[in-house]
Every structure is written in C-alpha cells, then in structure tokens.
Amino acid sequence: MQAISNTVQAAIDGEVSALEALSKLREWQKQIDAGIKAIEEAAFMEAATYGAKTFSAFGKTFTLTDGRAMYDFKHIPEWSSLSSQMKAIEEKAKIAAKHHEKGMMAISDDGEVIPPAKVTYSKPSISIK
C-alpha cells in the first residue's frame, strides 16, 4: 500500500512522469486482480465456515451475497423480432446524429425526418500496451 501511495504522490509532485506512474499502477492492478481471482474461491469456502451471511473476522465485516439473476430473452421469437427492429431504428438514429453534428437532417427513403440519437461521451482514457 505504501508503494502505491508513494508512486501517486511522486507523480502529483512531478518527481516522476505521470505516464510512468500510471503504467506502474496499472501493472500492479493487473497483478492484484489476478491474485484476487486466484484465491476468491478459497475465500468463499472459508467464509462459508462462519455459518452466517455477515460475520466479522480480521477486524473487518464480511457479507456474502447471492449472485444476481440474469435473464436471456434471445430464444423468444417475439423478443428477437422486436430487438431486430430496435437495432434498425438505433442504426438510423446514429446516422441521423452524425448528420445532425454536421448541421444536416437525415431523411428516410419515404421522405420522413429521422430523429437523431442523443450523443454523450464517456471520459477519455489512455491505453497502455
């Protein structure tokens, strides 16, 4: 933990390159994620021995939660058909949004104005390889 704090502070203070610090932190993050993945199943098994969903150990409170339900509708013909229709509408709206950015309107083959999609952007990122 101290190495992380030191690296962050050194970048903030301009003692090391922020890009170098970011690279180092992301590498540590990968190693930590791999470590968590490697021991997670054993941790669940150990947690089960406490016999409660919430318990205290090692000065921390742990809570076990069940996995969330996930539903798949792709096998339902009606859903698949409507989903395809929605995708077609979305594609037209994306094109209309690109036209709108250029100050133009998108018109369908039958002369109707295609309403543009609302466009928002996620925050920028830096890729490190």
Side-chain angles (χ1 to χ4, degrees):
M1 298 299 257
Q2 190 62 44
I4 293 170
S5 297
N6 291 346
T7 301
V8 169
Q9 194 60 52
I12 290 170
D13 293 344
E15 296 170 7
V16 298
S17 161
L19 290 174
E20 180 183 5
L22 180 64
S23 175
K24 188 180 290 188
L25 290 168
R26 287 209 180 147
E27 183 57 40
W28 289 340
Q29 182 178 31
K30 286 179 190 174
Q31 292 175 12
I32 289 168
D33 289 346
I36 289 170
K37 188 175 180 178
I39 66 165
E40 205 162 36
E41 186 175 336
F44 274 107
M45 291 172 52
E46 183 178 339
T49 66
Y50 283 85
K53 285 195 175 262
T54 300
F55 58 92
S56 295
F58 313 105
K60 304 283 182 187
T61 300
F62 295 84
T63 302
L64 295 172
T65 55
D66 295 330
R68 64 182 174 90
M70 295 182 289
Y71 299 93
D72 182 4
F73 307 101
K74 293 175 185 162
H75 65 285
I76 302 171
E78 182 182 16
W79 184 91
S80 294
S81 173
L82 291 173
S83 179
S84 295
Q85 291 176 33
M86 279 184 32
K87 286 178 184 171
I89 292 168
E90 289 170 356
E91 285 306 312
K92 288 178 187 176
K94 285 179 191 178
I95 292 167
K98 290 176 183 175
H99 281 76
H100 187 72
E101 286 177 355
K102 297 175 184 175
M104 301 165 41
M105 288 193 307
I107 308 295
S108 69
D109 291 339
D110 56 1
E112 290 188 44
V113 174
I114 301 171
K118 292 181 181 178
V119 182
T120 59
Y121 296 92
S122 61
K123 71 177 194 166
S125 64
I126 297 176
S127 175
I128 302 172
K129 294 188 180 192

